[in-house]
Amino acid sequence: MADIADGEQAQMQGSGSKPYILKNTGGVYSCSCPAWRNQSIAIERRTCKHLRKLRGDAAEDARVGGSAPPARATRPKSAEGDAEESTEKAPPLLLAQPWENDVDLTDWWMSEKLDGVRAYWDGKRFWSRLGNEYMAPEWFTAGLPDFPLDGELFGGRKRFQRTVSVVRRQDKSQDWKELLFVVFDAPGVEADFEQRLERCREWLATAKPAHAQWHPHERCQGTPHLRAELERVEALGGEGLMLRKPGSRYEVGRSHTLLKVKSFKDDEAVVVGHVAGAGRHKGRLGALEVELRNGKRFSVGTGFSDAERGAPPPVGTLITFRYQELSNDGVPRFPSYIGVRIDAAPFPVKEKPKAKR
């Protein structure tokens, strides 16, 4: 059967007048047909009849892990009322709450918030928040323990989208050499955070896995210390800080024992359209039209690389963006694109998405 080389595209005529565009971007295959766009699963798990016709059923089944999308379960609503979708295999992860300057963080454990991809090591394999397996090479996982670890697949500051492109690949490529598994907890150890932290540190110091390391923590000495460290990390291109309550246990779901501290806010939105570029961006993406969970729509026009403008996230994709504040009518001000979310499922939009290329 035919295939599409990485970074290339192909055309296939459908029932309409215009052919559908099939692409391979870093091992993730996409199609411009509605059947591919409207699937509410991670984009690397989507397929359609056009991709199957081009690549063959066997190749597509091997790539997406079966002939049909995995069944999904819905988690109970959090304290904020937001339901988080996941697959039935979703790992039991602790999730952070934002710090609202309402808690004294003196003596809490402080670490840099990494700009990577959350990963749960179950003792054999890596899993995303949604329960999708990350196909890490055997040489990458060599030396990791047979007990669970919580951490981040990290390719360095300001390299989030590159990290995403590596972990989405299904071919266990050499690109994984660009990443480290940075460990910050041991969920299976029934003990306080300090004891779990020490268990991880001792294991990694003894086993010395080539592609994993412990994430350093320090005690927060008060708000001035917190602000100074936040300024230092953000000046280096870091995303922010994570604060962990002393003596806390590992909880499943969002907890106020784990807080994230950032100068800028961030949120998620679903891509509902593409706005054509002008000037130097003519013939490429100008902005993404996106929709928030509450139905608010707006455009995100900054934060893209030239490559991302040439091959923007398809309609139906869940993205992360950064912004300063909300306007009086609830629209994010000065939104800037961060990247595609591969560890969370797109939520239903209020209206049918429309491409506007």
Side-chain angles (χ1 to χ4, degrees):
M1 302 297 290
D3 205 348
I4 310 171
D6 191 356
E8 301 296 327
Q9 64 182 40
Q11 295 186 0
M12 183 172 292
Q13 190 64 48
S15 58
S17 59
K18 292 184 178 180
Y20 293 123
I21 305 301
L22 287 66
K23 296 181 180 179
N24 175 3
T25 306
V28 177
Y29 289 78
S30 64
C31 179
S32 60
C33 73
W36 187 93
R37 294 199 314 265
N38 295 332
Q39 295 175 48
S40 297
I41 57 175
I43 60 174
E44 71 273 10
R45 302 295 300 277
R46 300 182 193 179
T47 187
C48 67
K49 66 180 182 181
H50 306 106
L51 286 168
R52 290 184 174 277
K53 183 176 180 181
L54 177 71
R55 306 188 69 239
D57 286 334
E60 280 297 276
D61 288 348
R63 181 177 68 85
V64 301
S67 57
R72 292 187 177 273
T74 302
R75 292 181 183 173
K77 291 187 176 181
S78 65
E80 287 72 27
D82 294 330
E84 298 186 24
E85 288 189 350
S86 69
T87 64
E88 293 177 346
K89 298 184 296 183
L93 291 176
L94 168 66
L95 304 175
Q97 295 278 9
W99 183 56
E100 303 292 352
N101 204 16
D102 55 348
V103 177
D104 182 4
L105 298 178
T106 301
D107 209 36
W108 283 47
W109 291 100
M110 181 168 63
S111 62
E112 180 177 345
K113 186 180 189 302
L114 300 178
D115 191 17
V117 175
R118 185 78 173 271
Y120 180 88
W121 171 254
D122 69 357
K124 295 180 180 179
R125 294 175 289 181
F126 284 118
W127 298 94
S128 76
R129 274 178 53 184
L130 286 180
N132 296 320
E133 183 180 357
Y134 294 134
M135 304 300 290
E138 287 74 15
W139 52 260
F140 186 90
T141 62
L144 292 180
D146 59 1
F147 57 85
L149 296 175
D150 189 0
E152 197 104 349
L153 292 168
F154 183 58
R157 300 184 182 106
K158 299 183 178 181
R159 287 176 55 83
F160 172 73
Q161 203 55 48
R162 175 56 182 165
T163 301
V164 168
S165 70
V166 172
V167 303
R168 281 203 310 213
R169 298 187 72 100
Q170 304 291 304
D171 56 2
K172 300 187 177 183
S173 76
Q174 294 297 306
D175 291 351
W176 279 79
K177 290 182 178 180
E178 301 176 28
L179 308 183
L180 282 173
F181 180 45
V182 183
V183 181
F184 44 68
D185 214 326
V189 177
E190 292 292 334
D192 293 345
F193 176 65
E194 291 80 0
Q195 294 170 275
R196 299 198 309 274
L197 184 152
E198 184 62 18
R199 174 73 184 279
C200 293
R201 190 195 65 77
E202 288 178 350
W203 176 274
L204 292 169
T206 301
K208 294 182 174 61
H211 302 283
Q213 67 181 35
W214 172 243
H215 194 37
H217 292 64
E218 64 173 316
R219 293 278 191 176
C220 178
Q221 299 169 17
T223 300
H225 182 206
L226 175 74
R227 297 294 186 190
E229 181 63 9
L230 179 63
E231 182 178 353
R232 184 190 72 82
V233 166
E234 291 183 338
L236 293 172
E239 190 172 334
L241 300 175
M242 301 298 294
L243 277 294
R244 190 65 201 268
K245 187 176 182 179
S248 57
R249 295 297 183 108
Y250 196 95
E251 304 176 51
V252 178
R254 297 208 176 272
S255 171
H256 285 91
T257 65
L258 178 65
L259 301 177
K260 53 186 175 183
V261 181
K262 305 169 68 173
S263 293
F264 288 87
K265 302 178 186 295
D266 60 46
D267 204 347
E268 299 164 354
V270 172
V271 177
V272 296
H274 297 128
V275 179
R280 66 179 294 265
H281 297 313
K282 186 175 182 179
R284 301 185 297 179
L285 176 75
L288 293 176
E289 184 183 356
V290 300
E291 182 173 307
L292 296 174
R293 292 179 185 274
N294 62 9
K296 292 285 185 180
R297 288 195 175 189
F298 59 98
S299 294
V300 179
T302 63
F304 304 99
S305 66
D306 286 344
E308 289 164 341
R309 289 190 184 277
V315 169
T317 302
L318 185 70
I319 69 161
T320 300
F321 66 93
R322 181 178 293 120
Y323 67 101
Q324 289 188 358
E325 60 186 356
L326 294 176
S327 66
N328 290 337
D329 57 356
V331 174
R333 298 187 62 200
F334 309 111
S336 179
Y337 177 76
I338 297 176
V340 172
R341 283 297 302 270
I342 64 170
D343 57 354
F347 47 83
V349 296
K350 304 299 182 182
E351 301 176 19
K352 185 178 180 180
K354 296 179 180 180
K356 301 197 303 183
R357 291 302 300 271

